[in-house]
Amino acid sequence: MDVKKLLKCPGAFADLTDPTLPAEMQVSLEALGEAYRQTASDLKGHSRQKQAVAKQFKKPDLSETERAQLKQSMQTVSAEVKKTEQQLKHLVRSAQDLISSSQDESELPGQFNPLTATLGKSLTFGWLENDSQAWAEFLQEHRELQSHYHLPAFSQAIQSSFGYETRVFGAYQGQQLVGALPITLIQSSLFGHNAVSLPYFNYGGPISRYQDVIAALLEQSDQILADTGAEQLEVRTTRPGLAANFSDKKASMILRLPSSQERLDDQLGAKVRAQINQAVRHHPTNRIGGEELLDDFYRVFAHNMRDLGTPVYSQDWFRALLNNKKTNSRLIVCYLNAKPVSCGFLCGGEYLLEIPWASTLKSANAFNMNMWMYRQILGFAIEHGYQFFDFGRSSKDAGTYKFKKQWGAKPVQHFWYFFRRDGAPIGAANPDNPKYRLLINIWKRLPVWLTRLIGPPIVKQIP
């Protein structure tokens, strides 16, 4: 939830369908919104005054007395600007604290919470288009249960970048859509014809308010495979117990965010702060933005992927995501001596900010730039009103898992289910498989320019 954005809009909190916000709290939030909008108007007025004073410095033949008076006026109006900016920040934090106080501190975003309700009625199943009105309305009605990647904007980016179609398999009780499973069809010369929900991202599996409906959707795997002609169906979710053949090697690391950066620093502890401060001594800088940062982002990302022995996505893939405003995507790039050394790709949902891709050059590890970058990201998330930060998935007890855990993030188990037309057990392509190790070691020795050329056609085929 972008609290600052909601504070700007009259009636925004009253229009929320979020059941976690009681009516009396919405009234309080609306009062904060009114105060925020008035204060923002005051800030515009003070800023105009500051500009007017600045223009007067350009007048020719200013006397020393006049110049001194202008300097005094500039100091006065600058102080008002600063004071008003602080008032705005205080109002945002007050709204964040109000929302946080209504929620259990152990609570996760709705998409991760277990389902207890069952529908207990007979169902029928059928396909609907990814861009259909029915699917859009279903997502709107299930906002608290969907992941950000369920939005058609992401499957549209997949189709424009890779040419893969996404369809939605629906469960109906009578005429009502009560559950859905978006599926992207991938034709790969390396891994065959796959149906994946959803590829390239961590989430995107079945949505329903009812546990038995979600189970029923996966029980229709034979129909899904027959209808799509796929050899394998892969369903990515965090819900356990849906089928026998699954992988649970990965977990997402989720951090519930405090309402202010000061509270974050207290929460992080001395050891983490010390690592961040080691980077501060080298005077790093960072920029957060869009496509204007893509070249710097990709320079770091492609180099790091080569070092890991992993084929790199094309630059156009990230451009497609950034250029679709509905993905709410941003880049962060961190610099040492004006050179990009760390980067991340950020996707913001309603309550949750996630970093699906991040990289730091090996040469910057000695400066703790990765730690510094994540501190900047967490600060950005807090300032924009997000309640949770998702560090992304890691193999349990791997180095990346331990890195994320030190920030206070809690694991959320992934369950990726696999179904085959021939019934044979099979999982996702695993880089730990011995047959891939030689290829990985060879890839690490290739020049970066070559991996940027031949990597995208390969990674296109890996969900």
Side-chain angles (χ1 to χ4, degrees), residues 362-374:
K362 285 183 178 180
S363 59
N365 287 337
F367 304 100
N368 274 353
M369 282 301 296
N370 205 33
M371 293 293 294
W372 189 80
M373 178 179 72
Y374 273 89

Side-chain angles (χ1 to χ4, degrees), residues 273-284 336 367-368 372:
R273 291 199 304 270
Q275 294 180 72
I276 295 168
N277 288 334
Q278 285 180 19
V280 173
R281 299 189 189 108
H282 301 282
H283 307 292
L336 276 177
F367 304 100
N368 274 353
W372 189 80

Side-chain angles (χ1 to χ4, degrees), residues 177-195:
L177 183 63
V178 293
L181 178 68
I183 294 172
T184 301
L185 304 176
I186 298 178
Q187 184 67 55
S188 168
S189 59
L190 295 175
F191 302 106
H193 189 185
N194 289 270

Side-chain angles (χ1 to χ4, degrees), residues 124-160:
T124 58
F125 302 90
W127 293 92
L128 58 155
E129 295 302 320
N130 180 56
D131 59 355
S132 68
Q133 184 65 26
W135 176 230
E137 291 175 355
F138 181 85
L139 288 174
Q140 179 64 23
E141 293 165 0
H142 294 74
R143 286 166 55 192
E144 78 281 9
L145 296 176
Q146 69 179 23
S147 77
H148 194 44
Y149 305 116
H150 282 102
L151 297 177
F154 288 92
S155 48
Q156 289 164 3
I158 290 173
Q159 183 154 17
S160 66

Side-chain angles (χ1 to χ4, degrees), residues 442-456:
I442 293 173
W443 196 271
K444 291 180 178 180
R445 291 168 170 79
L446 296 176
V448 174
W449 69 264
L450 182 58
T451 64
R452 292 177 62 161
L453 182 65
I454 65 177

Side-chain angles (χ1 to χ4, degrees), residues 21 105 122 194 243 322 324 403 406 452:
L21 297 181
E105 286 301 312
S122 60
N194 289 270
L322 290 168
N324 191 323
F403 170 84
Q406 70 182 323
R452 292 177 62 161

Side-chain angles (χ1 to χ4, degrees), residues 57-232:
F57 279 101
K58 298 179 181 180
K59 290 181 178 180
D61 303 324
L62 275 177
S63 68
E64 289 300 318
T65 301
E66 290 172 327
R67 187 173 296 278
Q69 290 173 341
L70 285 176
K71 286 182 178 180
Q72 182 61 47
S73 297
M74 179 62 76
Q75 290 175 357
T76 301
V77 73
S78 295
E80 286 297 323
V81 168
K82 185 175 181 180
K83 178 183 176 181
T84 311
E85 288 174 340
Q86 291 299 320
Q87 289 173 342
L88 286 175
K89 289 182 178 180
H90 176 73
L91 289 167
V92 172
R93 288 173 184 169
S94 296
Q96 290 170 342
D97 286 342
L98 255 183
I99 294 171
S100 296
S101 68
S102 73
Q103 297 174 322
D104 184 345
E105 286 301 312
S106 64
E107 185 186 7
L108 289 168
Q111 71 184 79
F112 303 119
N113 291 328
L115 296 174
T116 56
T118 57
L119 184 62
K121 296 181 180 180
S122 60
L123 302 170
T124 58
F125 302 90
W127 293 92
L128 58 155
E129 295 302 320
N130 180 56
D131 59 355
S132 68
Q133 184 65 26
W135 176 230
E137 291 175 355
F138 181 85
L139 288 174
Q140 179 64 23
E141 293 165 0
H142 294 74
R143 286 166 55 192
E144 78 281 9
L145 296 176
Q146 69 179 23
S147 77
H148 194 44
Y149 305 116
H150 282 102
L151 297 177
F154 288 92
S155 48
Q156 289 164 3
I158 290 173
Q159 183 154 17
S160 66
S161 299
F162 304 122
Y164 299 141
E165 176 192 10
T166 297
R167 299 170 64 190
V168 182
F169 188 72
Y172 295 85
Q173 198 276 308
Q175 298 297 313
Q176 183 181 4
L177 183 63
V178 293
L181 178 68
I183 294 172
T184 301
L185 304 176
I186 298 178
Q187 184 67 55
S188 168
S189 59
L190 295 175
F191 302 106
H193 189 185
N194 289 270
V196 186
S197 181
L198 282 166
Y200 310 116
F201 299 109
N202 293 334
Y203 315 109
I207 308 178
S208 177
R209 299 192 190 283
Y210 308 103
Q211 179 67 18
D212 56 341
V213 172
I214 284 182
L217 282 165
L218 270 64
E219 288 169 1
Q220 300 300 309
S221 59
D222 286 345
Q223 179 181 338
I224 293 171
L225 290 169
D227 290 349
T228 61
E231 300 163 7
Q232 176 176 288

